[in-house]
Amino acid sequence: MFGERQVRILAEEIDRLTDGKLISFNVGGDLGNGTRYFDYKNNKIWIGRGAARQAASFFYMILATITEDLDGYEMPDHVHEAAYNIGAVKVGTDDAEAHYIATKWMKTNRPTLRPFTFEELRKIHGLSEPQALLLTESVDGYGGAHLVYGHAATRRALVTKGLARVHQWRENNTGRERHHVELTERGRDLARALKAAQLVNA
């Protein structure tokens, strides 16, 4: 579900920076009431229409508070997009409470700025393991070698996701059609990030 995914992205970013010490996010639901969003650690529950936006707004304010003075932190694009798409960047009814909870936590704790792991990047971008591995194999340590080799179905999936494109041409002397698959700029950026994460986690 769209709303659940956006809320989860924001909650996971908070967990990444706080080692899971600030919130305890979960999702539930039953017939008639729709999806419920929980933060067990802070005794919060959101039910009914607008629950996803309210939960996202709460988590967005927590995230903004704990990272306000965090040197070197830049909100990842997928996190910012999730917040913007669900409307969490607007003022919410829980914002004051979220700010208080985050500020209180900051009195005895500090967020930890760490890079994404290979698995986190893979899941963020909706890649299967073969797709992520093929991306890392398509760049060398200096970000070169952008041609994509490997299983045809996996390459097609990268093209569908906009991470690669098919370049076609016809040979002058034979007239035969040729093609190869190469990474797009977005694909190269993600491949380099995956490669770096792979090396760190090795």
Side-chain angles (χ1 to χ4, degrees):
M1 292 177 59
F2 169 79
E4 180 180 333
R5 173 170 167 73
Q6 313 311 307
V7 178
R8 190 175 297 279
I9 286 172
L10 288 161
E12 287 175 350
E13 179 67 355
I14 293 171
D15 279 343
R16 183 175 77 94
L17 297 171
T18 65
D19 295 324
K21 296 176 181 176
L22 179 51
I23 65 171
S24 180
F25 173 70
N26 208 340
V27 179
D30 53 48
L31 293 175
N33 287 320
T35 304
R36 300 182 180 191
Y37 301 90
F38 305 90
D39 176 5
Y40 294 118
K41 190 162 290 186
N42 297 299
N43 298 314
K44 297 292 296 183
I45 180 172
W46 298 271
I47 306 172
R49 187 173 182 176
R53 190 195 63 78
Q54 293 167 14
S57 180
F58 179 81
F59 291 136
Y60 181 80
M61 176 55 72
I62 285 181
L63 182 59
T65 302
I66 65 173
T67 59
E68 185 176 5
D69 297 318
L70 184 58
D71 290 340
Y73 180 78
E74 184 174 343
M75 187 175 292
D77 289 343
H78 76 284
V79 178
H80 186 269
E81 288 172 8
Y84 181 82
N85 289 339
I86 201 171
V89 294
K90 300 176 182 178
V91 176
T93 56
D94 293 321
D95 282 4
E97 184 180 1
H99 181 74
Y100 171 78
I101 289 170
T103 302
K104 182 179 178 181
W105 182 84
M106 291 278 285
K107 289 181 179 178
T108 55
N109 301 273
R110 295 296 299 174
T112 303
L113 187 57
R114 67 165 179 81
F116 288 104
T117 65
F118 181 88
E119 278 300 298
E120 286 171 338
L121 282 172
R122 182 179 73 76
K123 291 177 181 178
I124 285 167
H125 294 279
L127 298 172
S128 68
E129 188 168 347
Q131 291 166 6
L133 290 173
L134 187 57
L135 274 176
T136 62
E137 292 166 2
S138 301
V139 293
D140 59 26
Y142 301 96
H146 300 144
L147 295 183
V148 184
Y149 302 97
H151 195 276
T154 306
R155 291 195 298 168
R156 284 196 298 271
L158 296 181
V159 171
T160 301
K161 292 175 180 292
L163 299 172
R165 61 174 168 263
V166 179
H167 178 63
Q168 294 179 307
W169 74 95
R170 188 179 298 275
E171 291 183 339
N172 291 330
N173 55 341
T174 65
R176 295 171 60 185
E177 284 194 352
R178 297 288 189 180
H179 76 276
H180 64 243
V181 179
E182 61 185 3
L183 297 180
T184 61
E185 183 176 353
R186 178 166 162 257
R188 290 196 297 272
D189 289 343
L190 180 53
R192 283 192 286 264
L194 285 164
K195 186 78 169 181
Q198 192 181 49
L199 293 172
V200 168
N201 301 327

